[in-house]
Amino acid sequence: MKYNALKGIQDILPPDVYIWQSIESTARSIFFKYGFREIKLPIIESTDIFTRGIGEATDIVEKEMYTFPDKADRSITLRPEGTAPAVRCYVENGLHNLPSPQKFFYTGPMFRYERPQKGRFRQFYQIGVEAFGVAQPTLDVELILMLRDFLEGIGLRELNFEVNSIGDEKCRPDYKAALMNFFGQNLDEFCPDCRRRYTTNPLRILDCKVERCIELRQGAPAVTDYLCGECREHFEGLIAGLRALGVRYTLNPNLVRGLDYYTRTTFEVTSEHLGAQKAVAAGGRYDKLIKEFGGPPTPAIGFAIGMERIVALLKEIAPAVEPEPKVFIATLGKEAEIEGFKIAGQVRAAGFWAEPNYGGASLKSQLRKADRLGAEFAFIIGENELKAGKIQWKGLKTGEQGEVEIRNITSLLTDNVKPSNP
Ligand code: HAM
């Protein structure tokens, strides 16, 4: 019997895992400086968190959720995203009672039953960020700045920052009406999905990828022409802030996003190197969601970064390089083997990755193995030397060699080999 991972779900192996770890550690260190603290959110939630949070008429809720009954017949869903769970957590734990703003990030797998393709998986990982309690656009600017710092910090520069405002419950109805008026003129020519969206959420027609729909929407009214005074002021504040801080952006009036909770600011970071699935990170404001979840009215904004997509971009720039063992412990004879494990312990305690000989092999084949592993240094432990409290060492990349007293091996290593960091 041959077992395979499920369709659209992949294993992440070394050396790629090292790229993942370095991305996560850059995120942690940059987000920390912006005052974001990590939260650990559950991977499963009650289904209504998502139907209510993301919206009944979205692709995610209509078609893409992994939903099933648990043993007590409750409807459970594998989280397709982290914002709705973060809001549930914020309200449930009374985090609104703490001083504003409260700023969090989370990492982990998300699940969407989408058609797998390059850059699109059914289990994928996000680093998500959510900030609660500030209505001013200065927070929007700060979040986008932090995202740029992070992307530059991991070495990604040639990215497009697209921004838009989709208004709020005051101005969006007028805009929806204008769109329906425009699309209604030749509705029959749109794809079946768009014809359905016409009644459920006409804004979504703006980001349909079908070529004919793209043609048909040329000349559609732009949302930014329909913003009410307050939304306009917010949007202008965002743009002024981005300019002042030197964040390069483009305005994309079609950036409506596929989740219903957004109000005002939406943004997406895209790369031309990724093909159809080009968004590496995306987010926006969701000023109404906390109240919707039973909390006090609280403005909020966040974004999520797609790990697989940024890993793909980083691998294009440079292949993954994983750390290699620093020290190989070669041994000759049973007694030396045991002693080798003790010496390996000493080497590890000094901060180096030590690989022992697990037994048997000749010295020649042990040193070949050390080379294949990429080790920099070998200790060679023979029974005679042991009696004298000394062992031989060899610089595998330099060819240098010598003898060292066992009690001095830490200083020999610190003088000659850089410590191993995962
Ligand atoms: P989203 O646009 O659905 O937003 O996802 C954010 C990012 O996750 C995307 O830009 C993409 O990089 C990645 N992503 C989404 N679906 C897949 C997939 N099937 N395979 C691989 N990568 C994928 C959200 O999830 C919102 N919760 C973001 C947010 C946070 N808004 C406010 N706060």
Side-chain angles (χ1 to χ4, degrees):
M1 180 73 161
K2 191 167 166 262
Y3 293 107
N4 295 317
L6 298 172
K7 194 172 168 204
I9 296 187
Q10 53 174 0
D11 301 309
I12 316 290
L13 304 175
D16 284 7
V17 171
Y18 289 97
I19 307 188
W20 285 59
Q21 288 172 337
S22 77
I23 291 170
E24 284 173 0
S25 93
T26 305
R28 285 200 167 85
S29 90
I30 289 180
F31 296 172
F32 171 79
K33 290 175 207 150
Y34 280 85
F36 284 76
R37 294 178 298 157
E38 184 160 1
I39 43 172
K40 303 264 186 209
L41 295 168
I43 287 173
I44 51 173
E45 296 271 0
S46 181
T47 301
D48 44 1
I49 300 284
F50 302 109
T51 43
R52 188 92 191 259
I54 300 171
E56 301 265 8
T58 56
D59 285 354
I60 295 182
V61 171
E62 273 183 350
K63 310 189 258 200
E64 298 170 1
M65 295 210 300
Y66 280 88
T67 296
F68 51 89
D70 73 1
K71 292 196 189 299
D73 225 21
R74 297 181 200 92
S75 182
I76 300 284
T77 294
L78 289 180
R79 63 180 182 192
E81 61 104 48
T83 308
V87 170
R88 195 259 319 128
C89 160
Y90 180 80
V91 174
E92 184 177 343
N93 293 289
L95 302 181
H96 44 83
N97 296 319
L98 302 174
S100 275
Q102 287 292 316
K103 306 193 261 186
F104 302 107
F105 73 94
Y106 48 87
T107 64
M110 308 289 160
F111 304 83
R112 295 184 194 174
Y113 197 82
E114 294 191 84
R115 197 167 47 76
Q117 63 177 84
K118 184 172 173 243
R120 190 160 74 190
F121 304 94
R122 289 184 172 166
Q123 174 174 331
F124 59 97
Y125 287 74
Q126 287 185 342
I127 305 180
V129 156
E130 316 291 349
F132 298 90
V134 174
Q136 283 79 359
T138 37
L139 179 63
D140 311 29
V141 175
E142 188 183 51
L143 241 70
I144 294 175
L145 194 65
M146 179 170 89
L147 179 55
R148 191 197 61 175
D149 276 2
F150 161 75
L151 291 165
E152 287 189 356
I154 57 171
L156 295 179
R157 275 160 202 280
E158 313 267 297
L159 298 168
N160 314 316
F161 283 70
E162 301 179 18
V163 298
N164 192 24
S165 171
I166 57 165
D168 63 8
E169 77 287 0
K170 286 204 285 298
C171 47
R172 210 173 310 150
D174 281 352
Y175 179 57
K176 270 191 184 166
L179 276 184
M180 288 176 88
N181 209 358
F182 181 85
F183 294 137
Q185 292 163 17
N186 34 20
L187 189 61
D188 299 348
E189 294 181 52
F190 280 90
C191 73
D193 271 345
C194 280
R195 289 206 296 272
R196 199 170 35 81
R197 287 170 185 143
Y198 182 78
T199 37
T200 55
N201 185 359
L203 266 74
R204 298 287 300 150
I205 299 178
L206 292 172
D207 70 355
C208 176
K209 306 284 183 300
V210 175
E211 215 149 283
R212 182 68 187 135
C213 299
I214 297 175
E215 278 167 32
L216 287 167
R217 67 173 184 244
Q218 294 301 317
V223 61
T224 36
D225 292 336
Y226 285 79
L227 297 180
C228 61
E230 283 168 38
C231 288
R232 168 158 307 285
E233 200 182 313
H234 186 95
F235 191 47
E236 285 169 358
L238 165 71
I239 300 301
L242 293 177
R243 286 213 176 124
L245 290 161
V247 179
R248 283 179 41 207
Y249 64 88
T250 47
L251 296 179
N252 178 359
N254 288 345
L255 185 58
V256 289
R257 311 271 301 122
L259 304 109
D260 277 356
Y261 48 62
Y262 291 115
T263 47
R264 296 190 173 165
T265 308
T266 54
F267 57 96
E268 214 160 82
V269 182
T270 57
S271 162
E272 293 315 317
H273 296 270
L274 283 174
Q277 302 304 317
K278 61 189 182 135
V280 296
R285 258 193 185 274
Y286 46 96
D287 291 345
K288 307 292 165 205
L289 195 57
I290 289 97
K291 180 149 182 270
E292 177 87 20
F293 272 45
T298 309
I301 179 168
F303 64 76
I305 300 157
M307 281 294 277
E308 289 77 2
R309 298 188 190 172
I310 53 177
V311 170
L313 286 176
L314 287 175
K315 280 167 74 175
E316 251 181 43
I317 300 173
V321 181
E322 59 183 321
E324 289 170 333
K326 293 290 182 176
V327 183
F328 188 86
I329 318 281
T331 52
L332 296 165
K334 278 268 168 269
E335 217 176 291
E337 249 168 47
I338 298 300
E339 203 57 35
F341 279 95
K342 288 192 198 151
I343 289 174
Q346 232 175 300
V347 172
R348 289 172 186 141
F352 300 90
W353 173 357
E355 276 296 315
N357 168 35
Y358 291 102
S362 70
L363 180 61
K364 198 165 160 207
S365 79
Q366 289 183 53
L367 290 179
R368 231 188 354 250
K369 183 174 167 194
D371 265 337
R372 218 176 35 240
L373 288 171
E376 277 181 38
F377 218 75
F379 286 125
I380 301 159
I381 309 173
E383 290 180 357
N384 289 341
E385 289 95 331
L386 269 184
K387 286 188 190 116
K390 289 180 182 167
I391 55 175
Q392 288 176 41
W393 62 268
K394 194 167 178 190
L396 296 170
K397 311 239 151 124
T398 61
E400 287 171 341
Q401 50 191 353
E403 215 175 44
V404 60
E405 289 191 29
I406 291 176
R407 61 193 164 88
N408 291 334
I409 61 177
T410 302
S411 51
L412 176 76
L413 286 174
T414 18
D415 290 347
N416 290 284
V417 185
K418 277 218 316 250
S420 323
N421 289 312

